[in-house]
Amino acid sequence: MAINYNEKIPNNVNLTDDRTLQRALEHWQPKFLQWWQTMGPSDFAAADIYLRTAVGVDAAGWASYGEVRMPDYRWGIFLADAEPARTVGFGDHMGEAAWQQVPGEYRSPLRRLIVTQGDTEPASVEQQRLLGHSCPSLYDLRNLFQINVEEGRHLWAMVYLLHAYFGRDGREEAEELLERHSGDADKPRILGTFNEPVTDWLSFFMFTYFTDRDGKYQLKSLAESAFDPLARTTRFMLTEEAHHMFVGETGLSRVIKRALEVMTELGTDDPAAVRNAGAIDLPTFQRYLNFWFSSSLDLFGSEVSSNAASSFATGLKGRPDESQYDDHRCVDVAFELAQPDRARGIKTESIPLRNAMNEVLRTSYVRDCELGLKRWNRQFERAGMGQRLALPSPRFHRAIGVWAGVHCDPEGAIIDESEFRRREGEWLPTAADRRFVKSLMRQVIAPGKMAGWIAPPERGINSLPIEYEYVRL
Ligand code: BYC
C-alpha cells in the first residue's frame, strides 16, 4: 500500500480509520520531536542534507532522494505489504494462520521483545549525537544523519506496535523509550552495547559493522514472527538497515586502505610511524574490532535461555531465514554446547535446541561478520602485506552468557585473571588508543575533501560524485 504523506504522521496503515490510535500517536509525536531536539544530533538542525525518504514499501525504488533538514524529516509508520494467507512458520503453532492481534497469553513476552528492540533504536542516535562535529567528510556526515533519521523511524515502528496492540501498557512503554538514555546512570538503555560511548568515527564504523549487524539478525528473526504486524514492520526495517551495515563495512575498509597507503609510502608497518603519519595503525584497529565484536555478541543473550526457547515455541521469534531449515519445530533435538567447566577446562553439554536459539543466531551472525574480515584481508594481500585481521573467539571478553566472567585470550584459551589484566592492553582499546583516535577526529567539511586517516569512498550517494555537497551547512 502506498505511503500517505498528506497526514501529520505519514503511514501506510490507514491511520485515519482509527481515530483513537491516531490521537494517541499524535500525542506521542511532539515528545519524540522534543527528544530528537535534545538527544538527537547536536546542532545541524538548519543544514540541508541529501537524504533518502521512503515513498513506498516494495523492494524496488522505495527511496526518494532530496535535500531535507533533519527536524523536517517525515518520520512515520511503514509496514511491508501483507502476505496473503500467511501462516506461522515454526514452533508449536506451525501451520496456523498468522496472528493479526496479540494472543492474551503472549502479551507480556511479546511486549518485552518489542520494547527491547525499540529501546536500541533511540539509544544508537543518542550514542552518535556528537559525531557530526568531527566528521571526516561531508559524504560521511550525510551517512551519519541518514542512519540517525532511520533509527528514529525504527523507534516509530516499535512505538506504533506498542500503541496499536498493547493498550495503556504499550503507551506507557512508548513514553519510557524516550526516558531511558544511553549511558545514563539512573535510567540506562536496556542492552549493554547501547550504553557504550560512540564518540569517535572508528567506533562508529565498528558499531555500524558489528552492532547494526546484530540488528539485522534480530530483525530477521522477528520478521518470522507469528504476530504479523511485527513481521511486516521488521521486514521493512531490514531494507533500511542494509545501508547502515554498508556504511560500517566500507568505512572500515577505507580506514584500512588509508593505513596501507601510509605503510607503503613510509616503507614500514611500525604502528608508531603509521600514527605519526596521521593514520590508524592496524593493532589499534584490531583492538577496536575486538571490543565491538565481543560487545555485540552479548546482544544475542545467553547461550542457554528459557526465554529464547519459549519465544521459539510460541512463535514470537524464529530463526533468521527460517525457511532455510528443514525442521521448524525443533522438538527433541539436541544442541552440543561448549562451555567452561569448573576445572577451567571446556566441556560439551547437550541442551535442547530450543533453549540454544540465541546461540544458533549468534553462530550465523559470526559467519556473516567473517565475510567483511575476508574482504579486508584481501586488501592486505593485494598490497603484498603479511598482516591479517581476525575475529577474536566468541569466548573472549564476554559479559553475558556462559563465558561471562571467564577470562579468555582472543584465541579462546582460558587464562588467569592476572594474565588477562596484564595483556588486556594488547587486546582491547587502551586509554592511550582512545586519546590517539580522538586526536585524529577533526571536522572536514570542504566538499570532496577527506580527513587524513580515511581514504575516499569508491563512489558517491545515488550516483552523485564524491565532491557533491551532501550537507549544506
Ligand atoms: N545486555 O535469557 P537471556 C538493533 C538480559 S540491535 C544487557 O539470555 P534472552 C540496532 C535479558 O534482557 C538488535 N542485558 O536473554 C543495532 C534478560 O533480562 P530480563 C536488538 C542483557 O531474553 C544498531 C536477561 O539478560 N534487538 O536493532 O534470551 C543500531 C536474561 O537474558 C543482554 C533485540 O534485542 C545484554 N547484551 O535474549 C540500532 C531483539 N543480553 O528480561 C538498532 C529483541 C541479555 O530477565 N530482544 N540481557 O530482565 C531479544 O530477542 C532478547 O531480549 C535478547 C535477549 C536477544 C536481547
Side-chain angles (χ1 to χ4, degrees):
M1 200 192 296
I3 293 177
N4 183 349
Y5 270 98
N6 296 326
E7 290 180 35
K8 211 164 165 190
I9 302 172
N11 71 90
N12 69 348
V13 294
N14 282 334
L15 204 51
T16 40
D17 291 355
D18 186 341
R19 291 278 172 203
T20 316
L21 175 60
Q22 188 182 30
R23 266 199 304 275
L25 284 165
E26 284 179 1
H27 186 67
W28 187 80
Q29 190 178 37
K31 297 180 186 176
F32 167 82
L33 292 171
Q34 172 67 26
W35 165 83
W36 179 269
Q37 268 170 30
T38 50
M39 301 304 291
S42 112
D43 295 328
F44 304 101
D48 290 310
I49 306 161
Y50 186 71
L51 292 178
R52 67 174 185 184
T53 306
V55 286
V57 289
D58 50 337
W62 62 265
S64 132
Y65 287 85
E67 312 272 319
V68 180
R69 291 185 181 180
M70 279 189 282
D72 302 334
Y73 188 79
R74 302 296 313 277
W75 286 282
I77 300 158
F78 315 134
L79 269 59
D81 290 335
E83 271 174 41
R86 179 171 176 256
T87 54
V88 180
F90 61 93
D92 296 342
H93 296 289
M94 168 107 191
E96 295 171 19
W99 321 323
Q100 299 309 324
Q101 290 297 329
V102 183
E105 65 273 37
Y106 302 149
R107 248 180 112 75
S108 153
L110 189 56
R111 194 184 70 204
R112 178 177 163 275
L113 286 178
I114 294 171
V115 166
T116 310
Q117 177 63 47
D119 190 72
T120 64
E121 315 289 359
S124 69
V125 176
E126 293 169 354
Q127 285 170 296
Q128 297 162 16
R129 169 173 165 69
L130 296 173
L131 286 176
H133 297 287
S134 60
C135 63
S137 72
L138 283 185
Y139 165 91
D140 290 291
L141 186 62
R142 176 265 169 208
N143 282 343
L144 167 71
F145 293 151
Q146 181 71 59
I147 291 174
N148 291 163
V149 293
E150 285 175 355
E151 298 300 7
R153 205 206 65 74
H154 292 180
L155 170 61
W156 270 93
M158 294 301 124
V159 164
Y160 164 68
L161 295 177
L162 290 170
H163 272 236
Y165 298 96
F166 293 88
R168 188 193 176 138
D169 297 352
R171 290 194 294 278
E172 283 171 11
E173 294 281 13
E175 305 269 312
E176 285 174 34
L177 285 170
L178 300 175
E179 284 161 16
R180 285 185 293 271
H181 297 308
S182 178
D184 191 290
D186 300 323
K187 284 191 165 184
R189 291 295 177 183
I190 297 171
L191 298 175
T193 313
F194 294 91
N195 291 304
E196 297 290 350
V198 181
T199 45
D200 65 73
W201 282 74
L202 182 58
S203 297
F204 171 68
F205 291 133
M206 292 286 174
F207 181 96
T208 43
Y209 186 80
F210 289 109
T211 310
D212 276 279
R213 196 169 307 274
D214 164 57
K216 168 181 164 185
Y217 278 79
Q218 298 296 343
L219 292 174
K220 267 175 168 282
S221 61
L222 295 175
E224 302 287 338
S225 182
F227 179 47
D228 204 42
L230 176 61
R232 287 173 58 199
T233 200
T234 44
R235 257 173 36 224
F236 183 64
M237 288 161 76
L238 278 161
T239 59
E240 292 174 318
E241 201 65 41
H243 173 71
H244 308 184
M245 286 176 292
F246 163 87
V247 168
E249 179 172 345
T250 53
L252 292 175
S253 130
R254 290 160 55 208
V255 173
I256 295 169
K257 187 172 177 202
R258 183 65 196 130
L260 287 173
E261 282 167 5
V262 167
M263 281 154 62
T264 310
E265 277 160 29
L266 299 176
T268 172
D269 60 6
D270 174 25
V274 175
R275 282 187 176 200
N276 267 337
I280 295 175
D281 55 292
L282 297 177
T284 302
F285 187 102
Q286 178 72 60
R287 286 192 285 275
Y288 272 68
L289 183 158
N290 291 350
F291 175 82
W292 285 102
F293 175 65
S294 56
S295 179
S296 302
L297 288 177
D298 281 337
L299 295 173
F300 289 84
S302 312
E303 287 77 359
V304 191
S305 166
S306 55
N307 286 337
S310 62
S311 295
F312 186 85
T314 52
L316 303 185
K317 183 179 172 190
R319 289 167 292 186
D321 304 308
E322 186 60 48
S323 61
Q324 71 176 331
Y325 296 93
D326 294 328
D327 171 13
H328 301 294
R329 291 186 191 271
C330 305
V331 183
D332 296 331
V333 188
F335 182 92
E336 301 303 312
L337 179 73
Q339 48 186 304
D341 69 12
R342 275 204 219 107
R344 295 204 346 173
I346 292 164
K347 63 177 180 193
T348 301
E349 211 173 280
S350 273
I351 59 164
L353 177 55
R354 285 181 170 189
N355 291 68
M357 284 306 172
N358 288 342
E359 188 60 9
V360 170
L361 256 66
R362 184 163 26 235
T363 308
S364 15
Y365 166 82
V366 172
R367 273 200 300 272
D368 200 24
C369 288
E370 271 161 2
L371 299 178
L373 272 282
K374 281 203 185 109
R375 278 193 279 271
W376 300 327
N377 282 335
R378 270 202 296 274
Q379 290 179 255
F380 297 113
E381 272 170 49
R382 278 199 300 269
M385 307 255 183
Q387 290 91 341
R388 297 290 180 268
L389 295 162
L391 290 179
S393 159
R395 297 172 195 165
F396 174 74
H397 191 236
R398 293 289 304 282
I400 298 282
V402 295
W403 294 98
V406 180
H407 295 96
C408 289
D409 68 15
E411 281 72 46
I414 300 178
I415 54 175
D416 285 336
E417 180 172 359
S418 57
E419 186 181 356
F420 184 86
R421 295 284 164 234
R422 191 161 51 76
R423 301 193 59 193
E424 196 174 7
E426 288 169 44
W427 301 329
L428 291 167
T430 61
D433 290 339
R434 293 190 191 281
R435 269 197 307 278
F436 165 68
V437 171
K438 262 273 165 70
S439 75
L440 297 179
M441 300 295 131
R442 296 270 149 75
Q443 193 184 52
V444 176
I445 48 170
K449 292 277 176 294
M450 296 287 141
W453 56 270
I454 190 164
E458 277 174 19
R459 57 190 70 86
I461 304 293
N462 193 29
S463 308
L464 290 173
I466 294 167
E467 303 73 42
Y468 185 79
E469 198 174 347
Y470 290 102
V471 182
R472 290 180 210 278
L473 295 165

